[in-house]
Amino acid sequence: MADLTLTTFNWVPEPPRGLVRDLRVRWALEEAALPYRVASTPFDDRGPAHLAHQPFGQVPWLTDGDISIFESGAILLHLGERSDKLMPTNPRGRTEATKWVFAALNSVEMASLPWAMSKFMGHPTDTPAWKFVDDFLKLRLKRLEPVLAGREWLAGSFSVADILMADVLRVVDQFSGLTDSPACRAYVARATVRPAFVKAHADQMAHFAAADQARGA
């Protein structure tokens, strides 16, 4: 049995499939060719056993032996310690990757998540609240655009920083939010054609499709 176990929901409704954040961990594990298995936790019953690993009732979490880690960014940094395919080996490169991990989560995703949720929920786009959310994201993308125009990957070589940033931007792109950000859009495109992403995405979709059969859907 593999030392690494990735836990995700046993099932989710169709709309978020392909977006559940265990995809980020699957992608990293596939990039690094680290052996792992996938375990499930009930979507409909997030009880004490779930909360012991993920206190907010979310997924994913990763167990590595007797270590349990939640939050996708923390998990990816942990995996980066296990594989030089996920993190540069030199101190400058590791620092570069680490700072872009936090930038993806704290600077870009904090702006993109309310924007994407508003799009997903079909909120009106002619309100002051929407304008604030939309302008906030556009400013972040404006700052990120010249960075991605000048490099293939954020830390020189492909790293966990790119898994996180590309996954954050991928959601924006699904709602046509990168129309005026060609470098960001091209970055997402080259990241998501990587075989590890393609397999991770297909595996997540298959996992939830199999759950439909189990539920009699």
Side-chain angles (χ1 to χ4, degrees):
M1 184 179 293
D3 291 333
L4 296 170
T5 300
L6 168 64
T7 301
T8 187
F9 287 126
N10 62 340
W11 175 87
V12 297
E14 287 193 19
R17 295 182 188 186
L19 302 175
V20 183
R21 289 178 183 173
D22 68 87
L23 178 62
R24 299 172 177 182
V25 183
R26 292 176 186 266
W27 186 0
L29 290 163
E30 295 294 337
E31 290 281 358
L34 291 169
Y36 68 101
R37 70 181 188 91
V38 176
S40 295
T41 190
F43 176 78
D44 298 316
D45 181 17
R46 306 180 195 187
H50 185 153
L51 300 177
H53 289 279
Q54 220 297 353
F56 304 104
Q58 299 173 312
V59 294
W61 68 82
L62 182 79
T63 54
D64 182 353
D66 60 357
I67 300 171
S68 180
I69 313 156
F70 69 93
E71 292 294 340
S72 59
I75 295 170
L76 265 61
L77 286 173
H78 177 78
L79 293 176
E81 295 293 327
R82 292 193 53 154
S83 174
D84 59 10
K85 294 181 180 179
L86 298 174
M87 287 284 277
T89 56
N90 62 87
R92 183 180 296 276
R94 294 180 75 83
T95 299
E96 192 76 4
T98 300
K99 73 184 184 184
W100 281 107
V101 162
F102 284 95
L105 298 173
N106 291 349
S107 294
V108 182
E109 192 167 48
M110 73 173 295
S112 69
L113 187 57
W115 183 92
M117 288 297 292
S118 292
K119 286 281 192 177
F120 179 78
M121 298 297 293
H123 290 164
T125 57
D126 58 353
T127 65
W130 167 255
K131 185 178 186 307
F132 175 83
V133 168
D134 191 44
D135 286 348
F136 187 28
L137 176 60
K138 285 177 178 176
L139 179 59
R140 289 290 192 255
L141 295 176
K142 179 180 178 181
R143 303 295 189 223
L144 185 59
E145 182 72 4
V147 175
L148 294 178
R151 62 184 83 177
E152 181 180 22
W153 306 117
L154 289 167
S157 59
F158 184 86
S159 72
V160 292
D162 298 299
I163 291 175
L164 285 165
M165 187 68 81
D167 198 51
V168 169
L169 293 175
R170 180 173 69 94
V171 179
V172 178
D173 197 34
Q174 286 198 1
F175 291 104
S176 302
L178 299 183
T179 303
D180 297 324
S181 306
C184 292
R185 195 167 63 253
Y187 172 75
V188 171
R190 63 178 173 267
T192 56
V193 296
R194 294 176 69 88
F197 173 84
V198 174
K199 184 176 187 305
H201 186 275
D203 286 351
Q204 185 186 94
M205 297 299 286
H207 174 84
F208 294 131
D212 283 338
Q213 296 182 354
R215 291 167 67 101

